[in-house]
Amino acid sequence: VSSTAGIGFDICWDPDRSEILISYAASSKGYVVAGTISGTTITLGTATELVSQYCLNTWIVYDTVSDKAVFFTYEYDFVVASSYILMARVLTTGATPTVGSPTNLDTSTHSKLAASIDTTNNLILTTYRAAFGDGYYPKTKVGTISGTTITFGSAHTHHQGKCDYLTNVYHPYADKMLAVYNIEQEGDGAFADFASPTTLSTNLTADNYIGIAAEAIADAASGSINISGHINTGQTSLAENDIYYV
């Protein structure tokens, strides 16, 4: 695939052209190369350089609805973050691949990412590990492709704990995304949760919220509710490090 030392390999299938797309980083640059299979032989084309400098890792997925690939990289951003962050580019494949402008996935990200395609709603589901300032939490953003541009919605936090490994997959019959990740504070235990791709950033409404009262509230009176992500200090008789379900 590469005549120089390559890192950060990923691979996906382009069913529209019956090609395998391989992304990788080499000599701090980001590349994509297409391959075709005949029998037990794979023939690779000429690699296309998509990132010219400071690229350390890559991922790639193919969207069969828009007939385009999304090329993710962990690279240095000189414009916004002045640090290494995750970026995304829409890639039009074929004999002469073209690539759109880079989009920051998040200005506070780390080099852990998994992506899948929501074929029902035509969305790119991107689960990643936030950076130190964001607690290394596992998060997901939903991307929408328009032309050669990808736009991401707000981040959904799966768990408020440090994550080292993660992946995701889309279930088309249930129209749900399954995210799987470990949490260091929970003994590196594996966690999994389903989420609706279309409501990751808008799943809290006046009718579906759940929380714990911050204080005693009399019938018909108003008061504060601690929802997910907040700390409730009004509880007693709870054992330290135990998990309670409500």
Side-chain angles (χ1 to χ4, degrees):
V1 175
S2 172
S3 58
T4 58
I7 58 175
F9 286 90
D10 199 16
I11 191 169
C12 70
W13 173 246
D14 176 353
D16 296 307
R17 297 169 186 82
S18 297
E19 294 179 335
I20 290 173
L21 302 176
I22 303 171
S23 68
Y24 63 96
S27 301
S28 296
K29 299 179 180 181
Y31 297 90
V32 169
V33 62
T36 56
I37 296 176
S38 176
T40 58
T41 301
I42 182 170
T43 302
L44 299 178
T46 302
T48 301
E49 180 186 308
L50 300 181
V51 180
S52 60
Q53 58 182 348
Y54 301 107
C55 178
L56 299 181
N57 211 342
T58 73
W59 302 263
I60 192 167
V61 291
Y62 188 80
D63 180 7
T64 57
V65 179
S66 66
D67 297 338
K68 296 181 178 72
V70 181
F71 176 63
F72 294 93
T73 57
Y74 183 58
E75 63 180 272
Y76 196 88
D77 174 35
F78 291 90
V79 179
V80 177
S82 296
S83 64
Y84 279 94
I85 65 171
L86 292 168
M87 305 279 269
R89 294 168 174 81
V90 177
L91 175 66
T92 301
T93 58
T96 307
T98 58
V99 65
S101 300
T103 299
N104 291 356
L105 176 64
D106 197 314
T107 56
S108 178
T109 51
H110 211 269
S111 59
K112 305 287 185 179
L113 180 142
S116 59
I117 305 297
D118 174 348
T119 53
T120 303
N121 305 290
N122 192 22
L123 300 170
I124 312 299
L125 309 176
T126 310
T127 302
Y128 61 94
R129 183 176 84 161
F132 171 77
D134 235 353
Y136 295 126
Y137 296 163
K139 297 189 175 189
T140 290
K141 280 189 175 181
V142 174
T144 304
I145 294 176
S146 177
T148 57
T149 301
I150 184 168
T151 304
F152 291 99
S154 301
H156 168 79
T157 301
H158 293 277
H159 193 294
Q160 292 187 333
K162 181 183 177 182
C163 167
D164 291 310
Y165 305 98
L166 52 82
T167 189
N168 75 20
V169 67
Y170 176 71
H171 191 315
Y173 300 121
D175 189 20
K176 294 288 190 296
M177 181 199 76
L178 175 65
V180 181
Y181 46 87
N182 78 311
I183 296 297
E184 184 179 282
Q185 293 92 330
E186 303 287 352
D188 277 330
F191 288 76
D193 62 75
F194 280 100
S196 173
T198 56
T199 58
L200 278 181
S201 59
T202 57
N203 62 337
L204 184 63
T205 71
D207 300 316
N208 70 1
Y209 63 82
I210 184 171
I212 301 175
E215 56 196 0
I217 304 174
D219 187 28
S222 61
S224 299
I225 299 293
N226 297 134
I227 63 173
S228 177
H230 291 73
I231 297 175
N232 184 282
T233 59
Q235 306 303 310
T236 60
S237 302
L238 303 181
E240 185 178 354
N241 293 325
D242 279 1
I243 298 174
Y244 295 83
Y245 297 92
V246 296

